[in-house]
Amino acid sequence: MKKIVFYIIKPKAILVDKVREINETIGKLITEVTSWQDEEVTHSGWTNNDYIVAVKLVYLAYLYEDLKDEPDAHFLFNSRAIRVELFDKWWSIERYELSDNIREAEHSLLTKKNVQLTGNRSIDTWLLSKHRSRRA
């Protein structure tokens, strides 16, 4: 069985401070918050940490391909080694499993008669249209 997992990769403050000294385009590339999606096998024998380590290595290899010829990025890959410790120095990572699909859960809201309007025109129109279509 597979599950959908999202990874959020964020630059650490030390990296944000360091890129102030380099080319703005490269700095933006390596300090932007990035989200990656993966399908992971639930019975693979891998732990969540195993998957996290794999994503760290893939992320570094991906950046290395784009930045290996950029002098301003050499501080990242000065040894040319793709190592987990390198990732951990400059970035943090968060892992989130997809719990449910909001469209599949929407019926829970729309079957309730006591849902109050919000005052937000778009949302209230959406709620009223969903309730009308449910009655039809």
Side-chain angles (χ1 to χ4, degrees):
M1 187 172 195
K2 292 184 179 180
K3 59 186 167 189
I4 297 174
V5 179
F6 295 93
Y7 292 92
I8 307 298
I9 299 169
K10 298 178 182 177
K12 291 185 176 179
I14 188 173
L15 181 58
V16 173
D17 289 342
K18 180 77 174 170
V19 300
R20 290 188 177 121
E21 307 164 9
I22 67 172
N23 175 296
E24 185 178 335
T25 303
I26 294 169
K28 184 177 179 183
L29 175 68
I30 61 178
T31 60
E32 67 185 354
V33 175
T34 305
S35 61
W36 282 20
Q37 176 186 328
D38 194 14
E39 286 187 12
E40 297 174 357
V41 179
T42 55
H43 302 294
S44 68
W46 280 35
T47 66
N48 291 349
N49 191 58
D50 293 335
Y51 282 111
I52 289 170
V53 170
V55 171
K56 289 176 179 182
L57 294 173
V58 169
Y59 182 77
L60 288 173
Y62 177 77
L63 278 182
Y64 181 77
E65 282 303 308
D66 282 351
L67 301 173
K68 65 184 173 200
D69 297 324
E70 295 290 343
D72 280 343
H74 284 176
F75 75 95
L76 287 174
F77 302 104
N78 56 9
S79 69
R80 299 194 182 269
I82 304 297
R83 303 179 335 269
V84 174
E85 297 80 13
L86 176 65
F87 181 97
D88 292 340
K89 178 179 181 179
W90 301 112
W91 294 276
S92 64
I93 189 168
E94 298 170 9
R95 181 181 183 280
Y96 300 96
E97 291 183 24
L98 181 65
S99 326
D100 210 342
N101 181 315
I102 196 164
R103 295 294 171 221
E104 292 174 12
E106 190 177 80
H107 70 86
S108 300
L109 171 68
L110 300 177
T111 58
K112 305 292 184 252
K113 294 186 188 306
N114 60 346
V115 176
Q116 294 182 358
L117 296 179
T118 65
N120 177 309
R121 187 173 168 190
S122 299
I123 298 300
D124 291 347
T125 302
W126 169 72
L127 284 170
L128 292 170
S129 71
K130 293 292 186 176
H131 283 282
R132 274 189 224 114
S133 67
R134 189 177 62 83
R135 284 186 255 154

